[in-house]
Amino acid sequence: MHPLAAAVLAIGLLATGAAQALGGKPAVDRNTLVVALSSGPGNLDPQVAPSVDSAKYAWNVFDTLYGFDLKGNIEPRLATAHTVSADGLTHTFKLRSGVKFHNDAALTSADVKFSIERIIKPETKSTRRPYFVNTVASVETPDAQTVVFKLAQKDGAFLNKVAGYLYIVPKAYTEGLPTPEAFALAPVGTGPYRFVEHKIGQSLELARFDGFWGSKPGVAKLLFRFVPEASSRVNAVLASEVDLATDVAPSDAEQLATRKGVSVVSVPGGSPLHIRIYSNDAATPLSKREVRLALNHALDRDAIIKSVFRGQAAPLASTIPASYPYGSNPALKPYAYDPAKSKALLAQAGFPNGFETSFYCAAAFPRALCEAVAAYWGQVGVKAQVKTIDYVAFNRINNVHQSGPLAFSEFGNAIYDPIHVIGGSVAKGGTWSDYFNPEVQKLIDQVEGEADRGKRDTLFKQILQLTHDDGQAVLLAELNLNYARDPDLQWSPQVAGWSLNFRNVGWKAPQP
């Protein structure tokens, strides 16, 4: 193994002295689910917060017109029917009758119209705005149960975007608040759980909503506890302090496989782990293609994956990982580890002795990963300062293009369509994009209006080839998502998605 692999071995291992939980012993009781998260949501307004940040809780408090099942298939939620006109520009939704918000107000088409218009308004500062602002021309409400979206251009992923991004909020309640930011302090939705209390940095409490339109969840209270350390989350499960731990480190999952009284569930993450490059500033080395490619060729991904992720990941060849239902490009191969080539590229770009830079490493990423990348880059002359930052604070700056010049990033699979990642991180004007390539943008504009899935697949493959050749991002890995839970807890995670869905959660009946 390359000597730099030692830099990636500093992973906290599961404490051997942790108390041993017994299956079927809830942390509180069988009417409560206690979940340990790595961090809390930075914003409880689901129309504002980024996808991964909000979806940890928003799927339980809010609804969309259509949603996703555990495998990412579209299913009805607040709407029971969806039709599209022959020209693809008119989408009509019929609303479910009898739906109520948590404040007991009845859902109508006016709330849906208000919700999309609120996302589009610049003052809302919605991270979903780029996905609708140039597409939705107008919204009509011919009656209380019908919503008609008139599009300015065809959007082949419109229903997926509605399912993943268009959380519905109550018009009268939200308009009555003093500022757009006030909604996050007391959010109101139509989901199976309602907001109770948020202790910033500590916990978030939700209670089952008795007026929910669908099947009631099997537990009456959800309590999210924020536990930054991965090993601490697992130890909390073992000690029966929590019932479910998310974001379990690969090293901990490896050890838990031999433990009794706890179950480990692993699913494909569907999330491209990469380093975001601020390449639009012509005055920086990162604006040069050769430099971006040099940063990619300087990394030994196999060594990093083996040591940091215990092999529970695959080298990433493009920003669309293989676990997506379509749109990845299997012809692409990960950048080869080639320090000599990296140095030659740097020299070609005018930096034979390298250069100095820095990158953000949010607390959600293993410190060993960030240090390993810095060490590998140092070997080719790129001296990179690691800037550690709290995950919530990182999201604040990352969403407004202030996390440069480099930042570790991941994308949750919010809409089960590649346009989420491409539109967010590659397209000009994307919320997390500081990259522009006219040839790539032309293809993105084309795929946005294409409804045929086969044609979309071909276009995405072309986009991925171009961005790979251009070094659009530093590509690292596609990770598994690991969860540790009480064996008697009946719950399954989303496949290839970071959302937490507790609509069908419950406990097995206790043994006599």
Side-chain angles (χ1 to χ4, degrees), residues 270-274 315-332 411-413 416-426 456-457 459-465 467-468 472-473 475 477-478:
S271 179
L273 173 61
H274 64 287
L316 194 65
S318 73
T319 48
I320 303 302
S323 62
Y324 268 60
Y326 81 106
S328 64
N329 189 338
L332 294 176
F411 269 83
N413 192 358
Y416 288 91
D417 190 280
I419 198 60
H420 169 64
V421 177
I422 298 301
S425 67
V426 179
R456 289 175 65 82
D457 185 65
L459 290 168
F460 281 123
K461 284 178 169 59
Q462 295 173 7
I463 291 168
L464 296 180
Q465 181 70 65
T467 55
H468 182 276
Q472 174 262 331
L475 304 177
E478 179 185 5

Side-chain angles (χ1 to χ4, degrees), residues 46-130:
Q47 295 186 341
V48 174
S51 301
V52 172
D53 192 18
S54 67
K56 297 287 188 182
Y57 102 102
W59 275 29
N60 306 289
V61 176
F62 297 90
D63 275 311
T64 48
L65 297 177
Y66 275 69
F68 301 105
D69 66 13
L70 291 179
K71 294 184 179 181
N73 299 307
I74 292 283
E75 64 179 9
R77 290 276 172 85
L78 295 182
T80 56
H82 166 243
T83 56
V84 186
S85 62
D87 62 5
L89 296 178
T90 302
H91 290 250
T92 302
F93 294 87
K94 288 294 183 180
L95 299 185
R96 188 181 301 276
S97 61
V99 176
K100 291 186 176 182
F101 286 98
H102 299 154
N103 64 352
D104 210 36
L107 168 75
T108 71
S109 57
D111 299 300
V112 179
K113 176 180 170 66
F114 171 79
S115 295
I116 185 64
E117 292 176 346
R118 181 174 185 260
I119 287 174
I120 292 173
K121 286 182 179 178
E123 54 265 37
T124 306
K125 300 177 182 178
S126 173
T127 56
R128 272 69 171 183
R129 185 175 186 270

Side-chain angles (χ1 to χ4, degrees), residues 152-320:
Q153 56 195 27
K154 290 196 298 183
D155 186 345
F158 185 70
L159 187 58
N160 287 67
K161 292 177 183 179
V162 165
Y165 299 142
L166 183 52
Y167 293 104
I168 305 302
V169 300
K171 180 178 187 293
Y173 170 81
T174 308
E175 285 184 325
L177 297 172
T179 65
E181 294 77 16
F183 186 85
L185 301 177
V188 172
T190 60
Y193 288 94
R194 58 179 176 79
F195 171 77
V196 176
E197 183 181 28
H198 182 205
K199 296 180 180 178
I200 297 176
Q202 299 180 49
S203 64
L204 173 66
E205 182 180 340
L206 309 178
R208 186 169 56 200
F209 176 44
D210 291 335
F212 179 56
W213 58 267
S215 299
K216 309 299 186 294
V219 296
K221 184 168 80 171
L222 288 179
L223 180 61
F224 297 107
R225 288 180 50 198
F226 311 140
V227 185
E229 291 295 327
S231 59
S232 297
R233 291 193 297 276
V234 173
N235 286 334
V237 173
L238 294 173
S240 293
E241 295 172 355
V242 304
D243 306 304
L244 172 69
T246 67
D247 301 320
V248 174
S251 56
D252 290 344
E254 187 177 53
Q255 294 190 39
L256 284 172
T258 62
R259 297 251 182 164
K260 293 182 179 181
V262 63
S263 295
V264 177
V265 183
S266 298
V267 294
S271 179
L273 173 61
H274 64 287
I275 299 175
R276 175 180 179 178
I277 302 176
Y278 282 68
S279 60
N280 285 343
D281 186 349
T284 72
L286 299 174
S287 66
K288 297 182 178 294
R289 171 181 175 270
E290 293 82 4
V291 168
R292 301 192 296 270
L293 292 175
L295 295 180
N296 273 289
H297 285 293
L299 300 181
D300 188 342
R301 289 163 183 78
D302 290 335
I304 291 174
I305 288 170
K306 182 177 180 180
S307 299
V308 175
F309 300 115
R310 292 296 196 268
Q312 296 188 30
L316 194 65
S318 73
T319 48
I320 303 302

Side-chain angles (χ1 to χ4, degrees), residues 348-360:
Q348 184 180 344
F351 302 96
N353 299 317
F355 57 92
E356 294 185 1
T357 187
S358 64
F359 61 79
Y360 278 100

Side-chain angles (χ1 to χ4, degrees), residues 11-32:
I11 307 173
L13 297 178
L14 184 64
T16 57
Q20 182 67 60
L22 297 177
K25 298 271 188 182
V28 177
D29 54 43
R30 289 179 177 272
N31 286 318
T32 305

